[in-house]
Amino acid sequence: MKVKEKISAEESDRKLKKVLTFQDLFFLSMGGIIGSGWLLGVAAGAGTAGPASVLSWIIGGVIVLFIALTLAEVAGSIPKSGAIVRYPHLSYGSYTGFIFGWAYLIGAITTPTIEAEAVLNYVSTYVPGLFRTVGNVAILTPFGILIGVFLIMGFFLLNWFGIKFLGKFNSIATWWKLILPSLTFVFLLFMFNGSNFTSYGGFAPMGIGSIFYAIPAAGIIFSYLGFRQSVEFGGEAKNPQKDIPRATILSIVTAIALYSLLQLAFIGAIKWPAGINWANLTSSDLGTSPFFTELKYSGIALFAAFAELLLVDAWISPSGTGWIYLGTSSRVLYGMAADGYLPSSLLKLQKKTAVPYLALIVSTVISVFFFLPFPSWYLFVGFSTSATVLTYIISPVALQIFRKNAPDIKKPFKLKYASIISPIAFVGGALIVYWSGITTLTMIIYATFVGIPIFYITYVPNKLKISKVFSYTVAFIEFITSISSIILNYMYVLYPPSDEPMGIKNLVFMTTLLFSFAVFLISTWLTSKKMESNKRVIFTSAYWFFALLFSTILVSYFGSFGIDTVIPFPWDTFLMIPIYTVIYFFAVRAGYKTEDLQKIIEEQYELPILPEIKSEKD
C-alpha cells in the first residue's frame, strides 16, 4: 500500500526558483500598481471628491509609503512567498495568523476580477453588449461576464509557464505601462483649463470629508497596493534581503508622483458634457473611459490618434495587474497552506516551473466566481481595497515584535525612527479602513468572521488537538452568526438606504454587532481554556484585533461615514486616532516568540531550540 507523502512548507520553499532580479521585483510592484487605477481611478476620485481628489492621491500615497517602509524591513529580514499572510502567524501564532490570512485572501483573490472588469470598461467603447446600466452604475451583462472569464484564463496561462517567464514578460509590459501614462499626462496639459478646479461647487464640492472617503472608496489605495508584489514573490528573488526593500519603496514614490499628476491633468482637461457634474461623472463616458474620452474629443488630431493607443493599453495595463495578482493570490493560498491553515496539497509545485499549480487553479476558480456578486469595477474596488488594507496594519506591528523577539535576525534594511513611523503607519492604515464607509466596512468585517469557522474545522482539531465535537460546534455557531448578521444588515440597514426608520436600523445594527462580537469573543475565550496554560496565548493574543474591528465599525456607524451621524467630520477621525494608537501598543505587547519564528532564527544562525518556545504542534 502506497503511503501518502506529506508535503512540508520548508521543502516547497527550498524548491522555489530564485530567479527574480531587482528590476523584476520593481517591475512586479509597478506592474501591480499601474493597472485599472490609472485608467478608471481618476474618474472615480473626481466623482467622489471633485478637484480635491488630487489631495486624496497624495494623502493615500503617503500613508501607504509609511506602511511600505515598515514592510520593507520585515520582508527584507524574512523573505517568503505568500509573505503577508505568514508574518501574522510568526508574530501571534495560528489564530490571529489565520484571521489576517483570510482577510488578505479576500482582497488579493478578488483583484484579478476587478482588473478584468476594467479591461471590459474600455472595450465596451467599441464592443456593444458588455454592460447595462442599473441606477448610475454600469454592470456586466452575461456576455460581458463570459468575456471576463476568458481574460482570467489568460492570466492563468501566463502564471502557469513559471515565475521566470512571468517576471520577464511583465518587465516588458511594465515599460509600456510607464511610458503611456506619462505621455497621457503631457498631452492633457495642453488642454488644461484651470476653471475646472472651481466649477460645480468649488475645490471640494462634496465636503472635506470626501477627500478621505475617496482614498479607499474611489480605488486610490487600491491603485497603490500593487507595491506588495515584490514582497509576495520574495521567496523567488535572487537577492531578497537587499532588493525587496529597494523595489518596495521606489515603486511607492514613483506611483505617488505619477497618479497625482494624472489626476491633476484629468480634472484640468474635462470638457463638461450637458447635464454632467462631479456627482454623476462616473455615469458618463468620462466614467467609462476617462482619458480616451478626453483625448478623443480634444479637437487635436494627434491626441485623438494617441487615444486609440489607450484602447490597446486598456488590455495591457489592467491585464498586467490581473495576471500578477492571480499569481499573488496563489502565493497567499500557498502561504496559508505553509502555515497549516489549508490542505498541504496547495504546497504542490509544478515540476518544471516550480509554480504552486494547485493553488493557482483554486485562485483562478474563485476569481471567476467573484464576477457574480460584483459585476462592476466601481462597486467592487472599495470592498477589495479595505479588506487588503485591514491586513496591512500587521507590518508595523510585526516590525516591533520581530525586533523584540528576534533582535539578532539579519536586517539588510533597518528602518530609522521605527518607533515613530510604526504607530503612524498602523494608525494611518486603520483610518483608511475607517474611511471606507459603513456599508463596505460592515461587509468586510462579517466576511472576515465568515472565514474563522474554517480555522475551527481544518486547524483546531488537527493541529491543536481539541475535540472535533467542540471545534465543529463553534464553527457552526460562528458561521450562522456571521451569515445572519450579513443578511440582516443588508436587508434592514444598508440597502435600500432610506426605507427603514432610523430606530429600526439602529436596533438591527447594534443587536447584530453586539451579538456577533459576543459569540466570537466567548468562543475565543472558551477555546483558550481548552489549551495548556503556556499555549493559551495563541488565542488571547487576538483580543486587540477584535477591539480594533469593534471600535472601527461602531464609531463608523455613528460617524460622518455612517448612517446615523452623531459625531461629524473631522471629530470622528480625531476620536479614532487615539483609539488606534492605544490598540497599536496593545498589539505590539500581545506578540510573542512563536515556534515558527524560532525556526527562522535557527535557519539563520543554527541556534538550538529554546525551551520556553510555545509549540502549537506538541
Side-chain angles (χ1 to χ4, degrees):
M1 182 176 177
K2 188 175 179 180
V3 179
K4 187 176 179 180
E5 182 182 1
K6 183 174 177 63
I7 303 170
S8 72
E10 292 80 5
E11 181 184 358
S12 291
D13 281 345
R14 285 194 296 270
K15 290 181 180 179
L16 291 170
K17 294 190 175 182
K18 320 292 185 182
V19 296
L20 297 176
T21 65
F22 164 72
Q23 178 177 302
D24 292 332
L25 291 171
F26 172 68
F27 279 163
L28 278 168
S29 285
M30 288 308 301
I33 289 171
I34 306 175
S36 59
W38 100 266
L39 290 170
L40 297 174
V42 291
T48 304
S53 55
V54 176
L55 298 180
S56 303
W57 285 99
I58 297 172
I59 295 169
V62 170
I63 292 174
V64 170
L65 180 59
F66 276 106
I67 296 172
L69 285 169
T70 62
L71 186 57
E73 176 176 313
V74 174
S77 302
I78 308 175
K80 297 283 185 181
S81 283
I84 292 177
V85 301
R86 298 171 83 169
Y87 296 144
H89 182 89
L90 295 172
S91 304
Y92 297 102
S94 57
Y95 186 51
T96 307
F98 177 87
I99 296 172
F100 272 93
W102 176 260
Y104 184 65
L105 180 63
I106 293 172
I109 213 163
T110 54
T111 302
T113 313
I114 295 175
E115 298 301 335
E117 289 175 352
V119 172
L120 298 177
N121 254 70
Y122 266 73
V123 171
S124 66
T125 60
Y126 55 89
V127 176
L130 296 179
F131 287 88
R132 60 189 177 90
T133 301
V134 177
N136 287 327
V137 179
I139 66 171
L140 287 169
T141 62
F143 174 63
I145 291 175
L146 178 63
I147 302 301
V149 171
F150 280 113
L151 271 173
I152 297 290
M153 295 308 300
F155 301 164
F156 168 82
L157 291 175
L158 283 170
N159 279 274
W160 183 263
F161 288 116
I163 187 61
K164 186 173 183 179
F165 173 80
L166 177 65
K168 299 306 176 187
F169 186 89
N170 181 72
S171 294
I172 296 170
T174 302
W175 274 116
W176 167 280
K177 292 166 70 172
L178 281 168
I179 292 170
L180 220 64
S182 300
L183 288 175
T184 299
F185 164 71
V186 172
F187 290 160
L188 289 179
L189 285 182
F190 287 94
M191 304 161 53
F192 195 84
N193 180 4
S195 65
N196 284 344
F197 286 83
T198 56
S199 300
Y200 299 104
F203 183 71
M206 288 81 158
I208 299 298
S210 66
I211 297 173
F212 301 94
Y213 176 67
I215 293 174
I220 289 173
I221 289 297
F222 173 81
S223 301
Y224 284 125
L225 294 183
F227 81 85
R228 70 179 182 254
Q229 306 311 321
S230 59
V231 176
E232 289 294 346
F233 288 91
E236 292 143 282
K238 282 184 177 180
N239 188 7
Q241 284 85 1
K242 181 180 179 182
D243 290 342
I244 291 175
R246 291 194 301 158
T248 300
I249 295 168
L250 182 60
S251 65
I252 288 291
V253 172
T254 303
I256 292 173
L258 180 64
Y259 277 125
S260 300
L261 292 173
L262 281 169
Q263 184 72 65
L264 187 77
F266 170 77
I267 292 171
I270 292 176
K271 291 184 176 180
W272 294 96
I276 298 300
N277 54 41
W278 301 114
N280 60 6
L281 185 70
T282 57
S283 64
S284 69
D285 288 343
L286 286 166
T288 302
S289 49
F291 292 122
F292 172 80
T293 299
E294 287 188 331
L295 292 167
K296 182 71 175 178
Y297 302 104
S298 64
I300 302 173
L302 173 63
F303 296 174
F306 179 79
E308 301 299 327
L309 281 179
L310 294 184
L311 296 181
V312 177
D313 184 67
W315 288 91
I316 296 175
S317 286
S319 295
T321 303
W323 69 59
I324 291 171
Y325 271 89
L326 191 63
T328 296
S329 59
S330 69
R331 269 67 178 182
V332 174
L333 289 172
Y334 175 96
M336 294 184 74
D339 288 333
Y341 304 138
L342 297 177
S344 62
S345 56
L346 293 172
L347 295 171
K348 288 183 179 179
L349 303 179
Q350 211 258 359
K351 289 184 178 179
K352 184 176 180 180
T353 61
V355 168
Y357 70 91
L358 190 58
L360 180 61
I361 293 171
V362 172
S363 298
T364 303
V365 172
I366 297 175
S367 295
V368 167
F369 168 79
F370 272 103
F371 278 116
L372 300 179
F374 294 103
S376 165
W377 190 92
Y378 293 104
L379 291 176
F380 203 173
V381 71
F383 175 85
S384 180
T385 296
S386 298
T388 305
V389 174
L390 180 63
T391 65
Y392 272 32
I393 61 175
I394 196 64
S395 60
V397 176
L399 182 151
Q400 298 297 338
I401 292 172
F402 292 162
R403 284 191 177 187
K404 178 177 67 175
N405 295 306
D408 297 324
I409 203 166
K410 297 175 184 176
K411 296 181 180 65
F413 172 78
K414 187 170 184 179
L415 180 63
K416 294 182 179 180
Y417 309 110
S419 60
I420 298 173
I421 293 175
S422 291
I424 293 175
F426 181 91
V427 171
L431 284 174
I432 290 173
V433 178
Y434 174 76
W435 293 330
S436 63
I438 191 61
T439 300
T440 298
L441 191 56
T442 300
M443 291 303 173
I444 288 168
I445 289 178
Y446 288 118
T448 301
F449 281 174
V450 165
I452 297 179
I454 296 174
F455 176 77
Y456 276 91
I457 293 171
T458 62
Y459 195 94
V460 172
N462 298 325
K463 301 288 185 178
L464 302 182
K465 307 304 180 184
I466 296 177
S467 72
K468 288 185 177 180
V469 173
F470 174 84
S471 302
Y472 291 177
T473 301
V474 170
F476 177 77
I477 293 172
E478 290 186 342
F479 180 76
I480 294 299
T481 299
S482 300
I483 293 297
S484 300
S485 297
I486 291 174
I487 293 172
L488 289 171
N489 277 283
Y490 187 93
M491 291 176 60
Y492 296 104
V493 181
L494 306 176
Y495 301 102
S498 59
D499 281 3
E500 300 294 337
M502 189 60 70
I504 297 296
K505 290 177 183 290
N506 292 349
L507 178 63
V508 171
F509 175 80
M510 290 302 300
T511 302
T512 55
L513 177 67
L514 294 174
F515 184 76
S516 296
F517 274 88
V519 165
F520 281 89
L521 286 172
I522 292 171
S523 298
T524 301
W525 179 75
L526 289 175
T527 309
S528 71
K529 289 298 181 182
K530 290 187 172 291
M531 304 287 293
E532 295 177 14
S533 58
N534 67 325
K535 297 177 184 178
R536 290 175 183 172
V537 68
I538 296 168
F539 289 90
T540 58
S541 62
Y543 289 141
W544 69 269
F545 185 62
F546 286 110
L548 177 96
L549 296 182
F550 181 80
S551 60
T552 299
I553 192 171
L554 180 64
V555 177
S556 176
Y557 184 84
F558 293 105
S560 60
F561 302 96
I563 292 177
D564 187 9
T565 301
V566 176
I567 313 170
F569 183 87
W571 303 110
D572 56 338
T573 296
F574 290 157
L575 173 63
M576 294 312 298
I577 290 174
I579 290 175
Y580 288 146
T581 302
V582 171
I583 291 174
Y584 164 80
F585 288 106
F586 274 102
V588 172
R589 187 176 179 180
Y592 64 99
K593 185 184 286 186
T594 61
E595 180 187 29
D596 289 307
L597 180 58
Q598 174 65 25
K599 286 182 178 179
I600 289 174
I601 297 171
E602 293 169 29
E603 289 174 4
Q604 289 198 7
Y605 294 99
E606 299 182 355
L607 297 176
I609 299 178
L610 299 179
E612 74 272 17
I613 301 306
K614 303 173 182 67
S615 171
E616 300 183 23
K617 300 174 183 177
D618 294 341

